[in-house]
Amino acid sequence: MQVLYFTAGPDKEFPLPVEGWNHHQQNINSVGRFNEIVGKEEMGYLNDKFRARLILEDDNKYDLGNAVRVEIDSKLVGYLSRDNAKIYRKSLIKLGQANVIGECKAGVAGRREALGKPMVYRVWLDMLPWKLQIDESRK
């Protein structure tokens, strides 16, 4: 399947939050190997050097025919929100690319509530589903 590379452009980096990250903490942690590099006394962490893939998941039982799965290193890290998934799919159709895998830069931010508490990670994407811009440098 063809891969299209997207970017949010120069306006704002990583504007799109990934949903469902709380269910995929182990996968997020493993792609970044955060347990190995984040010190126990650190309250926050940020890494913006990842690539995420956006995969249309038509058979998702919670959002049939609409879900967009987000993976980093072939591991599920979350989904686009229902609204953003609909917009993303419509934008792909407008581009004449209804059945592709999207790819974009991704950032992972971690935060602790307090020392001794586990780090909780969230994922953000460097793309806008309502304004898909193909990253010409990646063609």
Side-chain angles (χ1 to χ4, degrees):
M1 185 174 290
Q2 181 186 7
V3 176
L4 281 182
Y5 302 94
F6 297 114
T7 182
D11 298 338
K12 183 179 177 187
E13 287 191 330
F14 305 99
L16 186 64
V18 172
E19 302 294 324
W21 49 268
N22 49 325
H23 300 293
H24 305 289
Q25 288 295 296
Q26 186 173 4
N27 285 352
I28 297 169
N29 197 340
S30 70
V31 297
R33 298 173 55 197
F34 298 120
N35 281 344
E36 298 172 23
I37 57 176
V38 177
K40 298 214 180 288
E41 69 286 344
E42 292 181 63
M43 294 299 289
Y45 180 79
L46 178 64
N47 186 330
D48 63 358
K49 305 297 184 212
F50 295 101
R51 302 290 307 173
R53 288 210 163 181
L54 289 82
I55 300 166
L56 305 180
E57 193 174 274
D58 295 329
D59 59 351
N60 182 293
K61 67 181 179 181
Y62 299 107
D63 198 9
L64 197 60
N66 185 56
V68 178
R69 175 185 181 103
V70 179
E71 293 183 355
I72 298 176
D73 291 340
S74 300
K75 293 185 180 180
L76 174 62
V77 297
Y79 288 86
L80 295 187
S81 71
R82 281 192 167 104
D83 288 342
N84 285 332
K86 287 177 187 172
I87 294 166
Y88 176 74
R89 285 173 174 262
K90 286 179 184 176
S91 295
L92 286 177
I93 291 168
K94 283 182 185 176
L95 287 174
Q97 303 290 335
N99 196 24
V100 298
I101 293 174
E103 187 170 307
C104 64
K105 292 190 306 184
V108 175
R111 179 86 40 221
R112 277 185 221 283
E113 286 182 25
L115 285 177
K117 297 279 187 180
M119 187 79 70
V120 177
Y121 298 100
R122 296 191 68 181
V123 179
W124 299 80
L125 302 178
D126 192 32
M127 56 88 69
L128 296 167
W130 52 89
K131 186 179 167 186
L132 288 184
Q133 294 184 44
I134 295 175
D135 186 348
E136 299 294 335
S137 68
R138 295 288 312 234
K139 278 189 168 182

